Amino acid sequence: MYVNRKIEFPQRMTKFLQRRLEEVKAQYGEDSPQYRSLALQYIYNDHEDGPTAEHNAKHYEAGVQVDGGKNVERLYQHHCCIEVAFNCLSNCRYCLRSNYDRFTLTEEQMDANVAYLRSIEADEVLLTGGDPLLNLRRLRIFTDKIVEGVPTMRIIRIATRVFTQDPAVLSEDVVTFLAKLKERIRVEVATQINSAVELQCPEVREAFEKVLALGVPVYSQNVFLKGVNDTSEQLIDLYHEMRMIGIEAHYLFHCIPMRGIHHMRPSVDKMIYCYEQLVNAGHITGRCKPILAIMSQIGKITLTPYNYRKLDNGYVQLRSSYKYEDRMAYNPNWKLPEDAFVDEEGYLCINYLDGED
């Protein structure tokens, strides 16, 4: 189905980001790698509405049918991801949830989701969106319900990009909320940073330091994007800056094959090459090296020499260690994607559309 992204997913960014773009442009120039590494993430490009082989509307289909509930995704035995709301401060042009419906969970849906978490004896949940921190009152209600209603729950993760999109949102109310929640359960904060330029700002660094001072770990899942961080030098700068602030490196993802973002998708081979230059050349400490992965339609797959094979038709073949029978046990309404198959050992595999350099 054709979607006009210029209309359906319009360019939108905070005043803080607009200011940062002007500052970086004035400092380095409009054609500089520094400016492009920030601008390409947020400024609409006509290529988004051009015909490409990428056609997926979502990164993967992992939704669980929860009676009375909504927005629960499950790929793992004791862990779920729940989208609390789909409001964001800015529209990232490569957003993997740009085609999701916009709404906020009601309290009744929260209760049903909590009952589901209790029924599977979940011990970890990721609360994402949109950005959960944009409605602190609702997030406080939901986390209270989870802590009180799921005895097996041990970890609550909260995903947000407010640090780099508008650090002023990290108010004392937010800091107090995180501090009080941490007294009751283990809390971790997830974010996404794709360029060192995003961290080279006093307000951003101070926002991260507020949360880290609470003893709450902050980790980043980054995306390998054409023109943003697709050189070894850019990756080295990014992960060094993260390390100096105290942000943990988690995944470095290949940019998913979703419609509208072909122009931002380098090849998997280039990602592997730049990753090797990042982690095997002595430029950064081992304490800040990310995990190289692909977010495929059968789930996240960490790349190894044994599970990745380049095909001749513009695809790469990925072999996971997800068992088909386990996936169906965790998520009975899950359906095998069109490009996926089950190998002779019962493992899920998929032909994944490559990018171009």
Side-chain angles (χ1 to χ4, degrees):
M1 180 179 67
Y2 174 75
V3 175
N4 186 324
R5 282 171 58 89
K6 188 173 185 179
I7 296 173
E8 299 297 328
F9 191 61
Q11 177 179 308
R12 184 164 65 90
M13 68 182 84
T14 61
K15 290 181 179 179
F16 172 81
L17 276 173
Q18 293 172 8
R19 191 198 86 197
R20 283 295 295 145
L21 281 167
E22 291 303 315
E23 290 172 349
V24 176
K25 183 194 294 186
Q27 183 176 0
Y28 296 104
E30 190 169 4
D31 295 327
S32 67
Q34 292 88 347
Y35 176 76
R36 285 173 54 79
S37 72
L38 186 58
L40 288 171
Q41 295 187 60
Y42 294 105
I43 295 177
Y44 169 82
N45 188 307
D46 288 340
H47 290 301
E48 293 182 36
D49 286 312
T52 66
E54 288 83 0
H55 62 275
N56 293 345
K58 297 182 180 181
H59 52 314
Y60 50 58
E61 298 282 357
V64 179
Q65 292 179 358
V66 176
D67 187 21
K70 200 165 186 179
N71 284 16
V72 180
E73 295 182 353
R74 187 182 180 196
L75 291 175
Y76 309 107
Q77 185 173 3
H78 295 295
H79 167 266
C80 286
C81 171
I82 300 178
E83 292 88 17
V84 181
F86 288 122
N87 53 326
C88 288
L89 287 171
S90 303
N91 285 344
C92 307
R93 302 320 304 169
Y94 58 94
C95 177
L96 54 78
R97 291 188 173 93
S98 59
N99 297 305
Y100 280 36
D101 295 331
R102 266 58 178 167
F103 77 95
T104 302
L105 289 178
T106 65
E107 283 203 46
E108 292 75 16
Q109 290 168 334
M110 290 181 187
D111 288 335
N113 289 348
V114 167
Y116 176 75
L117 293 175
R118 185 168 58 248
S119 73
I120 66 169
E121 299 184 334
D123 54 24
E124 183 171 354
V125 64
L126 170 63
L127 303 181
T128 183
D131 202 310
L133 289 185
L134 299 187
N135 192 328
L136 188 59
R137 176 183 171 277
R138 188 159 295 274
L139 181 60
R140 185 181 289 113
I141 290 171
F142 197 19
T143 52
D144 283 345
K145 290 178 182 293
I146 293 171
V147 172
E148 295 166 6
V150 189
T152 55
M153 189 62 65
R154 295 292 178 268
I155 303 170
I156 293 178
R157 292 189 276 152
I158 299 170
T160 179
R161 288 201 80 183
V162 300
F163 296 102
T164 54
Q165 292 184 347
D166 190 357
V169 174
L170 254 296
S171 63
E172 288 307 309
D173 286 344
V174 173
V175 173
T176 300
F177 159 73
L178 291 172
K180 289 184 175 179
L181 183 60
K182 179 180 178 288
E183 293 174 357
R184 306 168 67 193
I185 196 168
R186 180 173 163 185
V187 180
E188 298 177 356
V189 173
T191 191
Q192 187 177 117
I193 310 154
N194 297 316
S195 167
V197 168
E198 297 177 74
L199 298 174
Q200 294 166 352
C201 171
E203 298 105 306
V204 170
R205 300 175 82 94
E206 288 167 10
F208 279 114
E209 288 163 1
K210 283 182 185 179
V211 176
L212 291 167
L214 300 174
V216 172
V218 179
Y219 68 93
S220 183
Q221 301 185 111
N222 308 333
V223 184
F224 190 71
L225 299 165
K226 189 180 294 185
V228 174
N229 56 21
D230 62 339
T231 69
S232 56
E233 292 80 11
Q234 287 171 313
L235 289 179
I236 290 165
D237 288 346
L238 169 59
Y239 284 97
H240 180 72
E241 290 279 358
M242 285 171 51
R243 174 63 173 165
M244 292 302 99
I245 295 173
I247 303 163
E248 298 176 9
H250 191 22
Y251 287 118
L252 175 59
F253 283 120
H254 190 252
C255 185
I256 60 173
M258 199 174 74
R259 64 186 177 218
I261 56 177
H262 172 82
H263 61 291
M264 302 188 76
R265 302 186 67 239
S267 69
V268 175
D269 277 351
K270 184 171 186 181
M271 180 177 73
I272 293 172
Y273 172 80
C274 290
Y275 179 77
E276 288 184 340
Q277 293 294 309
L278 172 70
V279 302
N280 292 332
H283 295 298
I284 60 171
T285 171
R287 290 283 286 119
C288 64
K289 293 178 181 179
I291 300 168
L292 193 65
I294 289 179
M295 187 178 289
S296 77
Q297 285 191 290
I298 58 174
K300 298 170 185 173
I301 300 176
T302 300
L303 291 178
T304 75
Y306 305 102
N307 68 359
Y308 160 72
R309 183 166 67 93
K310 193 174 182 68
L311 304 178
D312 295 329
N313 58 356
Y315 283 75
V316 296
Q317 191 169 99
L318 304 171
R319 181 183 186 272
S320 80
S321 291
Y322 297 114
K323 283 278 192 178
Y324 178 74
E325 60 190 33
D326 290 339
R327 176 63 54 79
M328 298 309 297
Y330 304 152
N331 192 342
N333 57 290
W334 187 78
K335 292 180 173 57
L336 193 68
E338 179 182 349
D339 292 322
F341 61 95
V342 182
D343 71 7
E344 63 278 2
E345 296 180 70
Y347 291 112
L348 292 172
C349 305
I350 191 163
N351 294 330
Y352 173 87
L353 183 66
D354 204 355
E356 293 181 347
D357 298 326

